[in-house]
Amino acid sequence: MLQKTNRLTLVEQVALQMESLIESGKWVVGMRIPAEPKLMTELNVSRNTLREAIRALIHAGLLKTKQGDGTYVCSSSVLGVVLQKRILHSDTLQTLEVRHALEREGAHLAAQRRTSDEANELLLQLERCEAAAALGDIDGFVTEDIRLHQSIVAASHNEILIELYDHIAEAAQDSITSLTRYEVGADFLEMHRQLVEAIVDQDADRAVAAVHRYIAESQAVLDVKGGKQP
């Protein structure tokens, strides 16, 4: 027997509208959301209804309040929140294994689907990575390295893969930073150059092989850090 449809409360409707603003990119991560009076006018709701909706999104992990400053967007989707919480309870090796799966498929598809503009942007982004490494700027390198991998996955033109990878990269940044402090060297940079050049050349097999190489190098670094090797 069919169940009677439950109607959303006004608070739930407002929360969904605000969530839509976040997921659509109109409210980006790090942005302070508009003040209460403006939101009350735009959404045509009372102060109490608005505050309840905001509390619901804070509880969901999409918003956070800074005392005396305002309310800020802290994640771009509920999926991102879930992944962040999961990664916090996972070790670096498991995170690396997930990155391997996503980056491998991203590289494979990017080599087949990248546009000429995307190929040029990948080469420019690679140069930014190399410049940061040459300066010994580890934090800068991590930022540019994440952007490089996000650009590669974006060139796959698979929207689900892009969204998953963006959330993984955002959630795993601390572990990536920790690992990168040990592994940035000429060989590691050369593997990334090989990856980008394979995608530019539209050689999917060579691109996948490059991903395998730098992930294997990262796993070897983890083994050394963990005392598994002499």
Side-chain angles (χ1 to χ4, degrees):
M1 183 175 178
L2 294 176
Q3 299 294 316
K4 184 177 180 179
T5 302
N6 291 322
R7 294 184 178 180
L8 294 176
T9 67
L10 183 56
V11 170
E12 289 170 334
Q13 292 177 48
V14 173
L16 283 173
Q17 287 185 62
M18 295 170 72
E19 184 178 334
S20 177
L21 289 170
I22 294 170
E23 294 190 340
S24 68
K26 291 181 180 179
W27 287 4
V28 299
V29 174
M31 168 188 167
R32 182 170 62 183
I33 69 172
E36 279 187 354
K38 183 176 181 180
L39 284 176
M40 288 165 57
T41 300
E42 290 181 351
L43 297 171
N44 192 28
V45 294
S46 69
R47 187 181 302 274
N48 286 340
T49 296
L50 177 63
R51 288 182 174 179
E52 284 294 323
I54 289 174
R55 273 196 287 269
L57 294 181
I58 290 173
H59 180 73
L62 294 176
L63 298 177
K64 65 179 177 181
T65 298
K66 296 182 180 179
Q67 192 65 34
D69 188 18
T71 301
Y72 289 79
V73 180
C74 58
S75 184
S76 56
S77 78
V78 174
L79 173 61
V81 175
V82 172
L83 287 173
Q84 287 169 11
K85 290 179 179 178
R86 186 65 188 88
I87 286 176
L88 284 174
H89 294 90
S90 302
D91 60 31
T92 305
L93 178 59
Q94 289 181 337
T95 301
L96 188 62
E97 289 170 345
V98 172
R99 283 185 57 207
H100 186 193
L102 297 179
E103 290 176 18
R104 178 181 59 214
E105 188 60 21
H108 184 266
L109 293 175
Q112 297 175 322
R113 301 174 179 176
R114 62 88 180 146
T115 65
S116 296
D117 286 344
E118 287 169 336
N120 291 331
E121 178 55 35
L122 288 177
L123 290 168
L124 289 172
Q125 188 57 41
L126 176 65
E127 290 177 2
R128 296 183 191 109
C129 290
E130 293 174 338
L135 293 171
D137 181 1
I138 298 299
D139 291 336
F141 174 80
V142 169
T143 298
E144 299 300 346
D145 182 59
I146 290 174
R147 286 175 181 167
L148 174 62
H149 290 296
Q150 287 176 314
S151 297
I152 291 171
V153 173
S156 74
H157 298 276
N158 182 307
E159 295 299 327
I160 298 175
L161 180 60
I162 292 167
E163 183 177 2
L164 277 172
Y165 189 77
D166 282 347
H167 289 311
I168 286 290
E170 177 184 321
Q173 185 159 352
D174 288 344
S175 63
I176 294 170
T177 301
S178 175
L179 183 60
T180 302
R181 292 186 187 280
Y182 290 85
E183 69 182 356
V184 178
D187 290 345
F188 189 72
L189 291 171
E190 178 58 26
M191 293 174 202
H192 279 64
R193 176 161 287 280
Q194 290 170 2
L195 168 62
V196 170
E197 290 178 348
I199 293 171
V200 170
D201 293 342
Q202 295 190 302
D203 188 331
D205 290 340
R206 187 151 54 92
V208 169
V211 174
H212 284 314
R213 281 194 293 273
Y214 72 70
I215 290 293
E217 177 68 18
S218 298
Q219 289 174 329
V221 170
L222 281 179
D223 287 344
V224 172
K225 286 173 61 181
K228 296 181 182 179
Q229 293 181 2

Short mmCIF file of all heavy atoms in Angstrom, two decimals, residues 141-195:
data_model
loop_
_atom_site.label_atom_id
_atom_site.label_comp_id
_atom_site.label_asym_id
_atom_site.label_seq_id
_atom_site.Cartn_x
_atom_site.Cartn_y
_atom_site.Cartn_z
N PHE A 141 53.67 24.04 -3.45
CA PHE A 141 53.68 22.90 -4.35
C PHE A 141 52.44 22.04 -4.16
O PHE A 141 51.83 21.59 -5.13
CB PHE A 141 54.94 22.04 -4.14
CG PHE A 141 54.91 20.77 -4.95
CD1 PHE A 141 55.25 20.79 -6.29
CD2 PHE A 141 54.51 19.57 -4.38
CE1 PHE A 141 55.20 19.63 -7.06
CE2 PHE A 141 54.46 18.41 -5.13
CZ PHE A 141 54.81 18.44 -6.47
N VAL A 142 52.07 21.79 -2.90
CA VAL A 142 50.89 20.97 -2.63
C VAL A 142 49.65 21.59 -3.27
O VAL A 142 48.85 20.91 -3.92
CB VAL A 142 50.68 20.79 -1.11
CG1 VAL A 142 49.32 20.17 -0.83
CG2 VAL A 142 51.78 19.92 -0.53
N THR A 143 49.50 22.91 -3.11
CA THR A 143 48.35 23.61 -3.70
C THR A 143 48.33 23.45 -5.21
O THR A 143 47.29 23.11 -5.81
CB THR A 143 48.39 25.10 -3.34
OG1 THR A 143 48.29 25.25 -1.92
CG2 THR A 143 47.23 25.86 -4.00
N GLU A 144 49.48 23.67 -5.84
CA GLU A 144 49.55 23.57 -7.31
C GLU A 144 49.42 22.13 -7.78
O GLU A 144 48.83 21.86 -8.84
CB GLU A 144 50.86 24.17 -7.82
CG GLU A 144 51.06 25.65 -7.50
CD GLU A 144 49.99 26.56 -8.07
OE1 GLU A 144 49.21 26.11 -8.94
OE2 GLU A 144 49.91 27.72 -7.65
N ASP A 145 49.94 21.18 -6.98
CA ASP A 145 49.84 19.77 -7.34
C ASP A 145 48.38 19.30 -7.31
O ASP A 145 47.92 18.60 -8.22
CB ASP A 145 50.68 18.93 -6.37
CG ASP A 145 50.67 17.46 -6.72
OD1 ASP A 145 51.08 17.12 -7.85
OD2 ASP A 145 50.25 16.63 -5.88
N ILE A 146 47.65 19.72 -6.29
CA ILE A 146 46.23 19.36 -6.20
C ILE A 146 45.47 19.96 -7.38
O ILE A 146 44.64 19.30 -8.01
CB ILE A 146 45.63 19.82 -4.86
CG1 ILE A 146 46.20 18.98 -3.72
CG2 ILE A 146 44.10 19.72 -4.89
CD1 ILE A 146 45.79 19.44 -2.34
N ARG A 147 45.79 21.21 -7.71
CA ARG A 147 45.13 21.85 -8.85
C ARG A 147 45.45 21.12 -10.16
O ARG A 147 44.60 21.01 -11.04
CB ARG A 147 45.57 23.32 -8.95
CG ARG A 147 44.95 24.21 -7.88
CD ARG A 147 45.52 25.61 -7.94
NE ARG A 147 44.95 26.47 -6.91
CZ ARG A 147 45.44 27.65 -6.56
NH1 ARG A 147 46.51 28.13 -7.20
NH2 ARG A 147 44.88 28.37 -5.61
N LEU A 148 46.69 20.63 -10.28
CA LEU A 148 47.07 19.88 -11.47
C LEU A 148 46.21 18.62 -11.61
O LEU A 148 45.65 18.35 -12.68
CB LEU A 148 48.55 19.51 -11.42
CG LEU A 148 49.04 18.59 -12.55
CD1 LEU A 148 48.88 19.27 -13.91
CD2 LEU A 148 50.49 18.18 -12.32
N HIS A 149 46.10 17.87 -10.52
CA HIS A 149 45.32 16.63 -10.58
C HIS A 149 43.84 16.91 -10.80
O HIS A 149 43.15 16.16 -11.50
CB HIS A 149 45.56 15.79 -9.33
CG HIS A 149 46.94 15.22 -9.26
ND1 HIS A 149 47.40 14.30 -10.17
CD2 HIS A 149 47.98 15.45 -8.41
CE1 HIS A 149 48.65 13.98 -9.88
NE2 HIS A 149 49.02 14.67 -8.82
N GLN A 150 43.34 18.00 -10.19
CA GLN A 150 41.94 18.37 -10.42
C GLN A 150 41.73 18.75 -11.89
O GLN A 150 40.69 18.43 -12.47
CB GLN A 150 41.54 19.53 -9.50
CG GLN A 150 41.38 19.11 -8.05
CD GLN A 150 41.07 20.29 -7.13
OE1 GLN A 150 41.73 21.32 -7.22
NE2 GLN A 150 40.09 20.15 -6.27
N SER A 151 42.71 19.42 -12.48
CA SER A 151 42.61 19.81 -13.89
C SER A 151 42.62 18.58 -14.79
O SER A 151 41.91 18.54 -15.81
CB SER A 151 43.76 20.74 -14.27
OG SER A 151 43.70 21.95 -13.54
N ILE A 152 43.42 17.59 -14.42
CA ILE A 152 43.46 16.34 -15.20
C ILE A 152 42.11 15.65 -15.14
O ILE A 152 41.55 15.24 -16.16
CB ILE A 152 44.58 15.41 -14.69
CG1 ILE A 152 45.96 16.01 -15.03
CG2 ILE A 152 44.43 14.01 -15.28
CD1 ILE A 152 47.11 15.28 -14.37
N VAL A 153 41.57 15.53 -13.93
CA VAL A 153 40.27 14.87 -13.77
C VAL A 153 39.18 15.67 -14.48
O VAL A 153 38.26 15.10 -15.09
CB VAL A 153 39.94 14.66 -12.28
CG1 VAL A 153 38.53 14.12 -12.11
CG2 VAL A 153 40.94 13.68 -11.65
N ALA A 154 39.27 17.00 -14.42
CA ALA A 154 38.27 17.85 -15.11
C ALA A 154 38.29 17.58 -16.61
O ALA A 154 37.24 17.62 -17.27
CB ALA A 154 38.55 19.32 -14.84
N ALA A 155 39.48 17.28 -17.15
CA ALA A 155 39.60 16.99 -18.58
C ALA A 155 39.00 15.65 -18.96
O ALA A 155 38.87 15.33 -20.14
CB ALA A 155 41.07 17.04 -19.00
N SER A 156 38.60 14.85 -17.95
CA SER A 156 37.92 13.58 -18.23
C SER A 156 36.50 13.81 -18.72
O SER A 156 35.90 12.95 -19.35
CB SER A 156 37.88 12.70 -16.98
OG SER A 156 36.92 13.19 -16.05
N HIS A 157 35.94 15.00 -18.36
CA HIS A 157 34.57 15.37 -18.72
C HIS A 157 33.54 14.38 -18.18
O HIS A 157 32.47 14.20 -18.76
CB HIS A 157 34.43 15.52 -20.24
CG HIS A 157 35.28 16.61 -20.80
ND1 HIS A 157 34.90 17.94 -20.83
CD2 HIS A 157 36.54 16.58 -21.33
CE1 HIS A 157 35.87 18.67 -21.36
NE2 HIS A 157 36.88 17.87 -21.66
N ASN A 158 33.88 13.75 -17.04
CA ASN A 158 32.94 12.88 -16.34
C ASN A 158 32.54 13.60 -15.06
O ASN A 158 33.34 13.73 -14.13
CB ASN A 158 33.60 11.53 -16.02
CG ASN A 158 32.65 10.56 -15.32
OD1 ASN A 158 32.05 10.90 -14.30
ND2 ASN A 158 32.53 9.36 -15.84
N GLU A 159 31.31 14.12 -15.02
CA GLU A 159 30.89 15.00 -13.93
C GLU A 159 30.94 14.31 -12.56
O GLU A 159 31.29 14.93 -11.56
CB GLU A 159 29.48 15.54 -14.20
CG GLU A 159 29.39 16.44 -15.42
CD GLU A 159 30.27 17.67 -15.30
OE1 GLU A 159 30.44 18.18 -14.17
OE2 GLU A 159 30.80 18.13 -16.33
N ILE A 160 30.56 13.04 -12.51
CA ILE A 160 30.56 12.33 -11.22
C ILE A 160 31.99 12.14 -10.72
O ILE A 160 32.30 12.36 -9.56
CB ILE A 160 29.84 10.97 -11.35
CG1 ILE A 160 28.38 11.18 -11.72
CG2 ILE A 160 29.94 10.19 -10.03
CD1 ILE A 160 27.62 9.89 -11.99
N LEU A 161 32.88 11.75 -11.63
CA LEU A 161 34.28 11.58 -11.27
C LEU A 161 34.88 12.89 -10.80
O LEU A 161 35.64 12.93 -9.81
CB LEU A 161 35.06 11.03 -12.47
CG LEU A 161 36.56 10.78 -12.26
CD1 LEU A 161 36.80 9.76 -11.16
CD2 LEU A 161 37.20 10.30 -13.57
N ILE A 162 34.56 13.98 -11.48
CA ILE A 162 35.08 15.30 -11.12
C ILE A 162 34.63 15.68 -9.72
O ILE A 162 35.43 16.14 -8.90
CB ILE A 162 34.61 16.35 -12.14
CG1 ILE A 162 35.28 16.10 -13.50
CG2 ILE A 162 34.94 17.77 -11.65
CD1 ILE A 162 34.65 16.89 -14.64
N GLU A 163 33.35 15.48 -9.42
CA GLU A 163 32.83 15.85 -8.10
C GLU A 163 33.46 15.00 -7.01
O GLU A 163 33.88 15.53 -5.97
CB GLU A 163 31.31 15.70 -8.07
CG GLU A 163 30.70 16.13 -6.73
CD GLU A 163 29.19 16.06 -6.71
OE1 GLU A 163 28.58 15.63 -7.72
OE2 GLU A 163 28.60 16.41 -5.67
N LEU A 164 33.55 13.70 -7.23
CA LEU A 164 34.17 12.82 -6.25
C LEU A 164 35.62 13.23 -5.98
O LEU A 164 36.05 13.32 -4.83
CB LEU A 164 34.14 11.37 -6.74
CG LEU A 164 32.87 10.57 -6.51
CD1 LEU A 164 32.95 9.23 -7.22
CD2 LEU A 164 32.61 10.38 -5.03
N TYR A 165 36.36 13.49 -7.05
CA TYR A 165 37.78 13.81 -6.88
C TYR A 165 37.96 15.15 -6.18
O TYR A 165 38.84 15.29 -5.33
CB TYR A 165 38.52 13.82 -8.21
CG TYR A 165 40.01 13.93 -7.96
CD1 TYR A 165 40.74 12.82 -7.54
CD2 TYR A 165 40.66 15.16 -8.05
CE1 TYR A 165 42.09 12.93 -7.23
CE2 TYR A 165 42.00 15.27 -7.75
CZ TYR A 165 42.72 14.16 -7.34
OH TYR A 165 44.05 14.28 -7.03
N ASP A 166 37.14 16.13 -6.52
CA ASP A 166 37.26 17.44 -5.86
C ASP A 166 37.06 17.30 -4.36
O ASP A 166 37.79 17.93 -3.57
CB ASP A 166 36.23 18.42 -6.43
CG ASP A 166 36.65 18.98 -7.78
OD1 ASP A 166 37.83 18.81 -8.15
OD2 ASP A 166 35.81 19.58 -8.47
N HIS A 167 36.10 16.49 -3.95
CA HIS A 167 35.86 16.31 -2.52
C HIS A 167 36.99 15.53 -1.85
O HIS A 167 37.39 15.83 -0.73
CB HIS A 167 34.52 15.61 -2.29
CG HIS A 167 33.33 16.46 -2.60
ND1 HIS A 167 33.20 17.74 -2.14
CD2 HIS A 167 32.22 16.21 -3.34
CE1 HIS A 167 32.05 18.25 -2.57
NE2 HIS A 167 31.46 17.34 -3.30
N ILE A 168 37.50 14.52 -2.53
CA ILE A 168 38.62 13.75 -1.98
C ILE A 168 39.84 14.64 -1.81
O ILE A 168 40.52 14.62 -0.79
CB ILE A 168 38.95 12.55 -2.90
CG1 ILE A 168 37.89 11.46 -2.78
CG2 ILE A 168 40.33 11.98 -2.56
CD1 ILE A 168 37.89 10.74 -1.44
N ALA A 169 40.13 15.45 -2.83
CA ALA A 169 41.30 16.33 -2.78
C ALA A 169 41.17 17.34 -1.64
O ALA A 169 42.13 17.60 -0.90
CB ALA A 169 41.47 17.06 -4.11
N GLU A 170 39.98 17.89 -1.47
CA GLU A 170 39.73 18.85 -0.41
C GLU A 170 39.89 18.20 0.96
O GLU A 170 40.53 18.74 1.86
CB GLU A 170 38.30 19.41 -0.56
CG GLU A 170 37.87 20.38 0.52
CD GLU A 170 36.41 20.80 0.33
OE1 GLU A 170 35.98 21.00 -0.83
OE2 GLU A 170 35.71 20.93 1.34
N ALA A 171 39.33 17.01 1.12
CA ALA A 171 39.36 16.34 2.41
C ALA A 171 40.73 15.77 2.75
O ALA A 171 41.11 15.66 3.91
CB ALA A 171 38.31 15.22 2.44
N ALA A 172 41.48 15.38 1.71
CA ALA A 172 42.76 14.69 1.93
C ALA A 172 43.96 15.63 1.91
O ALA A 172 45.10 15.17 1.97
CB ALA A 172 42.94 13.61 0.87
N GLN A 173 43.74 16.93 1.86
CA GLN A 173 44.86 17.86 1.68
C GLN A 173 45.90 17.75 2.77
O GLN A 173 47.10 17.82 2.50
CB GLN A 173 44.36 19.30 1.59
CG GLN A 173 45.50 20.29 1.28
CD GLN A 173 45.00 21.59 0.69
OE1 GLN A 173 43.83 21.73 0.35
NE2 GLN A 173 45.90 22.55 0.55
N ASP A 174 45.48 17.57 4.02
CA ASP A 174 46.45 17.44 5.12
C ASP A 174 47.36 16.23 4.94
O ASP A 174 48.58 16.32 5.13
CB ASP A 174 45.73 17.36 6.47
CG ASP A 174 45.12 18.69 6.88
OD1 ASP A 174 45.51 19.71 6.29
OD2 ASP A 174 44.27 18.70 7.78
N SER A 175 46.76 15.10 4.57
CA SER A 175 47.58 13.90 4.39
C SER A 175 48.48 14.03 3.17
O SER A 175 49.61 13.56 3.16
CB SER A 175 46.69 12.66 4.26
OG SER A 175 45.88 12.73 3.12
N ILE A 176 47.98 14.71 2.12
CA ILE A 176 48.80 14.94 0.93
C ILE A 176 49.98 15.83 1.28
O ILE A 176 51.11 15.59 0.86
CB ILE A 176 47.95 15.58 -0.19
CG1 ILE A 176 46.88 14.60 -0.68
CG2 ILE A 176 48.83 16.01 -1.36
CD1 ILE A 176 45.86 15.21 -1.60
N THR A 177 49.74 16.86 2.09
CA THR A 177 50.81 17.76 2.52
C THR A 177 51.87 17.00 3.29
O THR A 177 53.07 17.14 3.06
CB THR A 177 50.25 18.90 3.38
OG1 THR A 177 49.28 19.63 2.63
CG2 THR A 177 51.36 19.84 3.82
N SER A 178 51.42 16.17 4.23
CA SER A 178 52.35 15.39 5.04
C SER A 178 53.20 14.47 4.19
O SER A 178 54.43 14.38 4.37
CB SER A 178 51.56 14.56 6.06
OG SER A 178 52.43 13.72 6.79
N LEU A 179 52.59 13.80 3.23
CA LEU A 179 53.30 12.87 2.36
C LEU A 179 54.27 13.61 1.44
O LEU A 179 55.40 13.19 1.23
CB LEU A 179 52.30 12.07 1.53
CG LEU A 179 52.84 10.98 0.61
CD1 LEU A 179 53.61 9.94 1.41
CD2 LEU A 179 51.70 10.35 -0.17
N THR A 180 53.83 14.74 0.91
CA THR A 180 54.62 15.49 -0.06
C THR A 180 55.91 16.02 0.55
O THR A 180 56.92 16.17 -0.13
CB THR A 180 53.78 16.64 -0.65
OG1 THR A 180 52.61 16.10 -1.25
CG2 THR A 180 54.56 17.40 -1.70
N ARG A 181 55.91 16.31 1.85
CA ARG A 181 57.12 16.80 2.50
C ARG A 181 58.27 15.80 2.38
O ARG A 181 59.43 16.15 2.47
CB ARG A 181 56.84 17.11 3.97
CG ARG A 181 55.91 18.30 4.16
CD ARG A 181 55.76 18.69 5.62
NE ARG A 181 54.75 19.72 5.76
CZ ARG A 181 54.95 21.01 5.53
NH1 ARG A 181 56.13 21.42 5.12
NH2 ARG A 181 53.98 21.89 5.69
N TYR A 182 57.92 14.54 2.16
CA TYR A 182 58.95 13.50 2.05
C TYR A 182 59.28 13.12 0.61
O TYR A 182 60.35 12.58 0.36
CB TYR A 182 58.48 12.23 2.78
CG TYR A 182 58.43 12.38 4.29
CD1 TYR A 182 57.30 12.92 4.90
CD2 TYR A 182 59.50 11.99 5.08
CE1 TYR A 182 57.25 13.06 6.29
CE2 TYR A 182 59.45 12.12 6.47
CZ TYR A 182 58.32 12.66 7.06
OH TYR A 182 58.28 12.80 8.42
N GLU A 183 58.37 13.40 -0.32
CA GLU A 183 58.52 12.75 -1.62
C GLU A 183 58.86 13.68 -2.78
O GLU A 183 59.12 13.21 -3.89
CB GLU A 183 57.26 11.97 -1.97
CG GLU A 183 56.06 12.85 -2.26
CD GLU A 183 54.82 12.03 -2.57
OE1 GLU A 183 54.92 10.80 -2.62
OE2 GLU A 183 53.75 12.62 -2.72
N VAL A 184 58.83 15.00 -2.59
CA VAL A 184 59.10 15.89 -3.71
C VAL A 184 60.57 15.83 -4.08
O VAL A 184 61.44 16.16 -3.30
CB VAL A 184 58.71 17.34 -3.38
CG1 VAL A 184 59.06 18.25 -4.57
CG2 VAL A 184 57.23 17.44 -3.09
N GLY A 185 60.84 15.39 -5.27
CA GLY A 185 62.21 15.30 -5.78
C GLY A 185 62.17 15.29 -7.28
O GLY A 185 61.10 15.31 -7.90
N ALA A 186 63.34 15.23 -7.91
CA ALA A 186 63.41 15.27 -9.37
C ALA A 186 62.64 14.12 -10.00
O ALA A 186 61.93 14.30 -11.00
CB ALA A 186 64.87 15.25 -9.80
N ASP A 187 62.76 12.91 -9.41
CA ASP A 187 62.07 11.75 -9.98
C ASP A 187 60.56 11.91 -9.89
O ASP A 187 59.83 11.59 -10.84
CB ASP A 187 62.51 10.47 -9.25
CG ASP A 187 63.94 10.08 -9.55
OD1 ASP A 187 64.49 10.62 -10.53
OD2 ASP A 187 64.50 9.26 -8.82
N PHE A 188 60.09 12.40 -8.76
CA PHE A 188 58.65 12.58 -8.55
C PHE A 188 58.10 13.61 -9.53
O PHE A 188 57.04 13.42 -10.14
CB PHE A 188 58.39 13.01 -7.11
CG PHE A 188 56.93 13.01 -6.72
CD1 PHE A 188 56.25 11.82 -6.53
CD2 PHE A 188 56.25 14.20 -6.52
CE1 PHE A 188 54.91 11.80 -6.16
CE2 PHE A 188 54.91 14.19 -6.16
CZ PHE A 188 54.24 13.00 -5.98
N LEU A 189 58.83 14.70 -9.72
CA LEU A 189 58.41 15.73 -10.68
C LEU A 189 58.43 15.20 -12.11
O LEU A 189 57.55 15.51 -12.91
CB LEU A 189 59.31 16.96 -10.55
CG LEU A 189 59.18 17.77 -9.26
CD1 LEU A 189 60.28 18.81 -9.18
CD2 LEU A 189 57.81 18.43 -9.17
N GLU A 190 59.43 14.39 -12.41
CA GLU A 190 59.52 13.82 -13.75
C GLU A 190 58.34 12.91 -14.05
O GLU A 190 57.83 12.89 -15.17
CB GLU A 190 60.84 13.05 -13.91
CG GLU A 190 61.02 12.37 -15.26
CD GLU A 190 60.97 13.33 -16.44
OE1 GLU A 190 61.27 14.53 -16.26
OE2 GLU A 190 60.61 12.88 -17.55
N MET A 191 57.88 12.17 -13.05
CA MET A 191 56.71 11.30 -13.24
C MET A 191 55.47 12.13 -13.57
O MET A 191 54.64 11.74 -14.40
CB MET A 191 56.46 10.47 -11.98
CG MET A 191 57.52 9.44 -11.68
SD MET A 191 57.20 8.64 -10.09
CE MET A 191 58.84 8.03 -9.68
N HIS A 192 55.35 13.28 -12.92
CA HIS A 192 54.22 14.15 -13.21
C HIS A 192 54.33 14.74 -14.61
O HIS A 192 53.32 14.90 -15.31
CB HIS A 192 54.13 15.27 -12.16
CG HIS A 192 53.47 14.83 -10.88
ND1 HIS A 192 54.01 13.87 -10.07
CD2 HIS A 192 52.29 15.20 -10.31
CE1 HIS A 192 53.19 13.68 -9.03
NE2 HIS A 192 52.15 14.48 -9.16
N ARG A 193 55.54 15.09 -15.02
CA ARG A 193 55.74 15.58 -16.39
C ARG A 193 55.37 14.50 -17.39
O ARG A 193 54.74 14.78 -18.42
CB ARG A 193 57.17 16.07 -16.58
CG ARG A 193 57.48 16.51 -18.02
CD ARG A 193 58.69 17.39 -18.11
NE ARG A 193 58.43 18.73 -17.60
CZ ARG A 193 57.81 19.67 -18.30
NH1 ARG A 193 57.36 19.43 -19.54
NH2 ARG A 193 57.61 20.86 -17.78
N GLN A 194 55.77 13.27 -17.12
CA GLN A 194 55.43 12.16 -18.01
C GLN A 194 53.91 11.99 -18.11
O GLN A 194 53.38 11.70 -19.19
CB GLN A 194 56.08 10.87 -17.52
CG GLN A 194 57.60 10.85 -17.67
CD GLN A 194 58.22 9.66 -16.96
OE1 GLN A 194 57.54 8.81 -16.39
NE2 GLN A 194 59.56 9.59 -17.00
N LEU A 195 53.23 12.16 -16.98
CA LEU A 195 51.77 12.05 -16.97
C LEU A 195 51.14 13.11 -17.86
O LEU A 195 50.29 12.81 -18.70
CB LEU A 195 51.26 12.18 -15.53
CG LEU A 195 49.74 12.37 -15.36
CD1 LEU A 195 48.98 11.17 -15.89
CD2 LEU A 195 49.42 12.60 -13.87
#
